[in-house]
Every structure is written in C-alpha cells, then in structure tokens.
Short mmCIF file of all heavy atoms in Angstrom, two decimals:
data_model
loop_
_atom_site.label_atom_id
_atom_site.label_comp_id
_atom_site.label_asym_id
_atom_site.label_seq_id
_atom_site.Cartn_x
_atom_site.Cartn_y
_atom_site.Cartn_z
N SER A 742 0.83 -1.21 0.00
CA SER A 742 0.00 0.00 0.00
C SER A 742 0.86 1.26 0.00
O SER A 742 0.52 2.25 -0.66
CB SER A 742 -0.95 0.01 1.19
OG SER A 742 -0.24 0.05 2.41
N GLU A 743 1.99 1.22 0.71
CA GLU A 743 2.89 2.37 0.72
C GLU A 743 3.51 2.60 -0.65
O GLU A 743 3.63 3.74 -1.10
CB GLU A 743 4.00 2.16 1.75
CG GLU A 743 3.92 3.10 2.93
CD GLU A 743 5.06 2.85 3.89
OE1 GLU A 743 6.11 3.50 3.70
OE2 GLU A 743 4.90 2.04 4.79
N VAL A 744 3.91 1.51 -1.30
CA VAL A 744 4.49 1.61 -2.64
C VAL A 744 3.45 2.18 -3.60
O VAL A 744 3.74 3.06 -4.41
CB VAL A 744 4.99 0.24 -3.12
CG1 VAL A 744 5.38 0.28 -4.60
CG2 VAL A 744 6.16 -0.23 -2.28
N LEU A 745 2.22 1.71 -3.47
CA LEU A 745 1.14 2.19 -4.32
C LEU A 745 0.85 3.67 -4.06
O LEU A 745 0.66 4.45 -4.99
CB LEU A 745 -0.11 1.35 -4.10
CG LEU A 745 -1.20 1.46 -5.14
CD1 LEU A 745 -0.68 1.12 -6.53
CD2 LEU A 745 -2.36 0.54 -4.77
N GLN A 746 0.82 4.06 -2.80
CA GLN A 746 0.59 5.47 -2.45
C GLN A 746 1.71 6.36 -3.01
O GLN A 746 1.43 7.45 -3.52
CB GLN A 746 0.51 5.65 -0.95
CG GLN A 746 -0.80 5.18 -0.36
CD GLN A 746 -0.83 5.29 1.15
OE1 GLN A 746 0.21 5.31 1.81
NE2 GLN A 746 -2.02 5.36 1.71
N ASN A 747 2.94 5.89 -2.94
CA ASN A 747 4.06 6.66 -3.49
C ASN A 747 3.93 6.81 -5.00
O ASN A 747 4.18 7.88 -5.55
CB ASN A 747 5.39 6.01 -3.14
CG ASN A 747 5.73 6.16 -1.68
OD1 ASN A 747 5.22 7.03 -0.99
ND2 ASN A 747 6.60 5.30 -1.19
N ALA A 748 3.53 5.74 -5.67
CA ALA A 748 3.36 5.80 -7.12
C ALA A 748 2.25 6.76 -7.50
O ALA A 748 2.38 7.54 -8.46
CB ALA A 748 3.07 4.40 -7.67
N ILE A 749 1.16 6.74 -6.75
CA ILE A 749 0.05 7.66 -7.02
C ILE A 749 0.50 9.10 -6.77
O ILE A 749 0.20 10.00 -7.57
CB ILE A 749 -1.18 7.30 -6.16
CG1 ILE A 749 -1.77 5.97 -6.64
CG2 ILE A 749 -2.23 8.40 -6.22
CD1 ILE A 749 -2.82 5.39 -5.73
N SER A 750 1.23 9.32 -5.70
CA SER A 750 1.73 10.67 -5.39
C SER A 750 2.65 11.18 -6.50
O SER A 750 2.57 12.35 -6.89
CB SER A 750 2.47 10.68 -4.06
OG SER A 750 1.59 10.38 -3.01
N GLN A 751 3.51 10.30 -6.99
CA GLN A 751 4.41 10.70 -8.08
C GLN A 751 3.64 11.01 -9.35
O GLN A 751 3.98 11.95 -10.08
CB GLN A 751 5.44 9.61 -8.34
CG GLN A 751 6.48 9.50 -7.25
CD GLN A 751 7.45 8.34 -7.47
OE1 GLN A 751 7.26 7.52 -8.36
NE2 GLN A 751 8.49 8.29 -6.66
N THR A 752 2.58 10.25 -9.62
CA THR A 752 1.76 10.51 -10.79
C THR A 752 1.07 11.86 -10.67
O THR A 752 1.04 12.64 -11.62
CB THR A 752 0.71 9.40 -10.97
OG1 THR A 752 1.40 8.15 -11.12
CG2 THR A 752 -0.16 9.65 -12.18
N ILE A 753 0.54 12.15 -9.50
CA ILE A 753 -0.11 13.44 -9.26
C ILE A 753 0.90 14.57 -9.41
O ILE A 753 0.62 15.60 -10.03
CB ILE A 753 -0.78 13.46 -7.87
CG1 ILE A 753 -1.97 12.51 -7.86
CG2 ILE A 753 -1.21 14.88 -7.49
CD1 ILE A 753 -2.55 12.25 -6.48
N GLN A 754 2.09 14.39 -8.85
CA GLN A 754 3.13 15.42 -8.95
C GLN A 754 3.53 15.66 -10.40
O GLN A 754 3.73 16.81 -10.81
CB GLN A 754 4.36 15.01 -8.11
CG GLN A 754 5.44 16.06 -8.08
CD GLN A 754 4.99 17.37 -7.46
OE1 GLN A 754 4.11 17.41 -6.61
NE2 GLN A 754 5.58 18.46 -7.90
N THR A 755 3.62 14.60 -11.18
CA THR A 755 3.97 14.74 -12.60
C THR A 755 2.89 15.53 -13.33
O THR A 755 3.20 16.39 -14.16
CB THR A 755 4.15 13.35 -13.24
OG1 THR A 755 5.14 12.63 -12.53
CG2 THR A 755 4.57 13.46 -14.69
N GLY A 756 1.63 15.28 -13.00
CA GLY A 756 0.53 16.04 -13.60
C GLY A 756 0.59 17.51 -13.21
O GLY A 756 0.36 18.39 -14.05
N ARG A 757 0.92 17.76 -11.97
CA ARG A 757 1.04 19.16 -11.51
C ARG A 757 2.19 19.87 -12.21
O ARG A 757 2.09 21.07 -12.53
CB ARG A 757 1.23 19.20 -10.00
CG ARG A 757 -0.05 18.86 -9.26
CD ARG A 757 0.13 18.95 -7.77
NE ARG A 757 -1.14 18.62 -7.12
CZ ARG A 757 -1.24 18.12 -5.91
NH1 ARG A 757 -0.15 17.91 -5.19
NH2 ARG A 757 -2.42 17.85 -5.40
N GLN A 758 3.28 19.16 -12.44
CA GLN A 758 4.41 19.75 -13.16
C GLN A 758 4.02 20.09 -14.60
O GLN A 758 4.42 21.13 -15.12
CB GLN A 758 5.61 18.81 -13.14
CG GLN A 758 6.26 18.69 -11.78
CD GLN A 758 7.31 17.58 -11.71
OE1 GLN A 758 7.44 16.77 -12.61
NE2 GLN A 758 8.05 17.56 -10.61
N ALA A 759 3.23 19.21 -15.22
CA ALA A 759 2.75 19.49 -16.57
C ALA A 759 1.84 20.72 -16.57
O ALA A 759 1.95 21.58 -17.46
CB ALA A 759 2.02 18.28 -17.13
N ASP A 760 0.97 20.82 -15.58
CA ASP A 760 0.10 21.99 -15.47
C ASP A 760 0.92 23.27 -15.30
O ASP A 760 0.63 24.30 -15.92
CB ASP A 760 -0.86 21.85 -14.29
CG ASP A 760 -1.96 20.84 -14.55
OD1 ASP A 760 -2.21 20.48 -15.71
OD2 ASP A 760 -2.58 20.39 -13.55
N ALA A 761 1.94 23.19 -14.44
CA ALA A 761 2.79 24.36 -14.22
C ALA A 761 3.53 24.75 -15.49
O ALA A 761 3.64 25.95 -15.80
CB ALA A 761 3.78 24.07 -13.10
N ALA A 762 3.99 23.77 -16.24
CA ALA A 762 4.70 24.07 -17.50
C ALA A 762 3.75 24.73 -18.50
O ALA A 762 4.14 25.67 -19.19
CB ALA A 762 5.30 22.79 -18.08
N MET A 763 2.51 24.23 -18.56
CA MET A 763 1.53 24.84 -19.47
C MET A 763 1.22 26.28 -19.07
O MET A 763 1.10 27.15 -19.92
CB MET A 763 0.25 24.01 -19.51
CG MET A 763 0.41 22.71 -20.26
SD MET A 763 -1.13 21.81 -20.50
CE MET A 763 -1.56 21.38 -18.82
N THR A 764 1.11 26.50 -17.77
CA THR A 764 0.84 27.86 -17.27
C THR A 764 2.00 28.79 -17.61
O THR A 764 1.79 29.92 -18.05
CB THR A 764 0.61 27.84 -15.75
OG1 THR A 764 -0.48 26.96 -15.46
CG2 THR A 764 0.30 29.22 -15.22
N GLN A 765 3.22 28.30 -17.40
CA GLN A 765 4.40 29.11 -17.72
C GLN A 765 4.46 29.42 -19.22
O GLN A 765 4.83 30.53 -19.61
CB GLN A 765 5.68 28.40 -17.28
CG GLN A 765 5.83 28.29 -15.77
CD GLN A 765 5.96 29.65 -15.11
OE1 GLN A 765 6.65 30.53 -15.62
NE2 GLN A 765 5.31 29.83 -13.99
N ALA A 766 4.10 28.45 -20.04
CA ALA A 766 4.11 28.68 -21.50
C ALA A 766 3.03 29.68 -21.90
O ALA A 766 3.24 30.48 -22.82
CB ALA A 766 3.90 27.36 -22.23
N ALA A 767 1.91 29.65 -21.20
CA ALA A 767 0.81 30.57 -21.53
C ALA A 767 1.20 32.02 -21.29
O ALA A 767 0.73 32.91 -22.00
CB ALA A 767 -0.43 30.23 -20.72
N VAL A 768 2.07 32.25 -20.32
CA VAL A 768 2.51 33.62 -20.03
C VAL A 768 3.85 33.92 -20.69
O VAL A 768 4.44 34.97 -20.44
CB VAL A 768 2.57 33.89 -18.50
CG1 VAL A 768 1.19 33.82 -17.89
CG2 VAL A 768 3.54 32.97 -17.80
N GLY A 769 4.33 32.98 -21.50
CA GLY A 769 5.55 33.22 -22.26
C GLY A 769 6.84 33.00 -21.50
O GLY A 769 7.89 33.51 -21.90
N LYS A 770 6.82 32.25 -20.42
CA LYS A 770 8.01 32.04 -19.61
C LYS A 770 8.59 30.64 -19.74
O LYS A 770 9.50 30.28 -19.00
CB LYS A 770 7.70 32.32 -18.14
CG LYS A 770 7.36 33.76 -17.87
CD LYS A 770 7.16 34.00 -16.39
CE LYS A 770 6.84 35.46 -16.13
NZ LYS A 770 6.66 35.73 -14.71
N ALA A 771 8.07 29.84 -20.67
CA ALA A 771 8.58 28.47 -20.83
C ALA A 771 8.69 28.13 -22.30
O ALA A 771 7.94 28.66 -23.13
CB ALA A 771 7.67 27.47 -20.12
N GLU A 772 9.62 27.27 -22.60
CA GLU A 772 9.80 26.80 -23.98
C GLU A 772 8.76 25.73 -24.29
O GLU A 772 8.36 24.95 -23.42
CB GLU A 772 11.20 26.21 -24.15
CG GLU A 772 12.31 27.23 -23.97
CD GLU A 772 12.33 28.26 -25.10
OE1 GLU A 772 12.03 27.90 -26.25
OE2 GLU A 772 12.62 29.43 -24.80
N LEU A 773 8.35 25.67 -25.53
CA LEU A 773 7.35 24.70 -25.96
C LEU A 773 7.85 23.27 -25.76
O LEU A 773 7.08 22.39 -25.36
CB LEU A 773 6.98 24.94 -27.43
CG LEU A 773 5.88 24.07 -27.98
CD1 LEU A 773 4.59 24.25 -27.18
CD2 LEU A 773 5.65 24.38 -29.44
N VAL A 774 9.13 23.04 -25.99
CA VAL A 774 9.67 21.69 -25.84
C VAL A 774 9.57 21.21 -24.39
O VAL A 774 9.31 20.04 -24.12
CB VAL A 774 11.11 21.59 -26.38
CG1 VAL A 774 12.08 22.36 -25.47
CG2 VAL A 774 11.54 20.15 -26.52
N ASP A 775 9.72 22.13 -23.43
CA ASP A 775 9.58 21.77 -22.02
C ASP A 775 8.13 21.39 -21.69
O ASP A 775 7.88 20.47 -20.92
CB ASP A 775 10.02 22.93 -21.13
CG ASP A 775 11.51 23.24 -21.27
OD1 ASP A 775 12.27 22.31 -21.61
OD2 ASP A 775 11.88 24.40 -21.05
N VAL A 776 7.20 22.11 -22.29
CA VAL A 776 5.78 21.82 -22.07
C VAL A 776 5.43 20.46 -22.65
O VAL A 776 4.78 19.64 -21.99
CB VAL A 776 4.89 22.92 -22.69
CG1 VAL A 776 3.42 22.56 -22.57
CG2 VAL A 776 5.17 24.26 -22.03
N VAL A 777 5.88 20.20 -23.87
CA VAL A 777 5.58 18.92 -24.51
C VAL A 777 6.20 17.77 -23.72
O VAL A 777 5.58 16.73 -23.53
CB VAL A 777 6.08 18.93 -25.98
CG1 VAL A 777 5.98 17.55 -26.60
CG2 VAL A 777 5.29 19.94 -26.79
N THR A 778 7.41 17.96 -23.24
CA THR A 778 8.08 16.93 -22.44
C THR A 778 7.32 16.66 -21.14
O THR A 778 7.13 15.51 -20.76
CB THR A 778 9.53 17.34 -22.13
OG1 THR A 778 10.22 17.58 -23.35
CG2 THR A 778 10.25 16.27 -21.35
N ALA A 779 6.88 17.71 -20.48
CA ALA A 779 6.15 17.56 -19.22
C ALA A 779 4.81 16.87 -19.46
O ALA A 779 4.40 16.00 -18.67
CB ALA A 779 5.93 18.92 -18.57
N ILE A 780 4.13 17.22 -20.54
CA ILE A 780 2.84 16.59 -20.84
C ILE A 780 3.04 15.12 -21.18
O ILE A 780 2.26 14.27 -20.75
CB ILE A 780 2.12 17.35 -21.98
CG1 ILE A 780 1.68 18.72 -21.48
CG2 ILE A 780 0.93 16.55 -22.50
CD1 ILE A 780 1.15 19.63 -22.55
N ALA A 781 4.09 14.82 -21.94
CA ALA A 781 4.37 13.43 -22.29
C ALA A 781 4.67 12.60 -21.05
O ALA A 781 4.22 11.46 -20.92
CB ALA A 781 5.52 13.36 -23.28
N ALA A 782 5.43 13.16 -20.12
CA ALA A 782 5.75 12.46 -18.88
C ALA A 782 4.48 12.21 -18.06
O ALA A 782 4.30 11.14 -17.49
CB ALA A 782 6.76 13.26 -18.06
N ALA A 783 3.60 13.21 -18.01
CA ALA A 783 2.34 13.05 -17.28
C ALA A 783 1.47 11.98 -17.94
O ALA A 783 0.82 11.18 -17.25
CB ALA A 783 1.59 14.38 -17.22
N GLU A 784 1.46 11.96 -19.26
CA GLU A 784 0.67 10.95 -19.98
C GLU A 784 1.19 9.54 -19.71
O GLU A 784 0.40 8.62 -19.45
CB GLU A 784 0.70 11.24 -21.48
CG GLU A 784 -0.14 10.31 -22.30
CD GLU A 784 -0.11 10.64 -23.78
OE1 GLU A 784 0.70 11.48 -24.21
OE2 GLU A 784 -0.91 10.03 -24.51
N VAL A 785 2.51 9.38 -19.73
CA VAL A 785 3.10 8.07 -19.45
C VAL A 785 2.79 7.64 -18.01
O VAL A 785 2.44 6.48 -17.76
CB VAL A 785 4.62 8.08 -19.70
CG1 VAL A 785 5.29 6.84 -19.15
CG2 VAL A 785 4.90 8.21 -21.18
N ALA A 786 2.90 8.56 -17.07
CA ALA A 786 2.61 8.24 -15.67
C ALA A 786 1.16 7.83 -15.49
O ALA A 786 0.86 6.85 -14.79
CB ALA A 786 2.93 9.44 -14.78
N LEU A 787 0.25 8.54 -16.14
CA LEU A 787 -1.17 8.21 -16.03
C LEU A 787 -1.48 6.86 -16.68
O LEU A 787 -2.21 6.04 -16.11
CB LEU A 787 -2.03 9.31 -16.66
CG LEU A 787 -3.53 9.13 -16.52
CD1 LEU A 787 -3.94 9.06 -15.05
CD2 LEU A 787 -4.27 10.25 -17.22
#
C-alpha cells in the first residue's frame, strides 16, 4: 500500500508539473519543448 501510495503521489506530482509548465508557457516564460516533455511524462505516468 505504501508503494502504491508513493506511485500515485508521483503521478499526481507529474501532472502538476505538466500543469505548471503549461501555465508558464501561456505567459511566455517556458519553452514549448519543455511543455511537450512535461505533458508526455504526465501521460506516461497516467
């Protein structure tokens, strides 16, 4: 259960990082490649 909780937490964190990257890109503070990489990582985790 602890391993599973850690995996879920990491998946949630990866999703939050993708959201943050998208937000940064929306205001012009992030590169598109960083956003695509973060979204791809979130997709793989999910």
Side-chain angles (χ1 to χ4, degrees):
S742 64
E743 248 181 90
V744 171
L745 196 56
Q746 284 177 336
N747 289 340
I749 291 169
S750 295
Q751 288 176 352
T752 301
I753 291 169
Q754 184 62 29
T755 303
R757 287 182 179 154
Q758 289 171 349
D760 287 342
M763 287 187 294
T764 302
Q765 292 296 319
V768 295
K770 294 184 179 181
E772 295 292 324
L773 184 59
V774 70
D775 295 333
V776 175
V777 171
T778 303
I780 291 171
E784 183 179 9
V785 168
L787 184 59

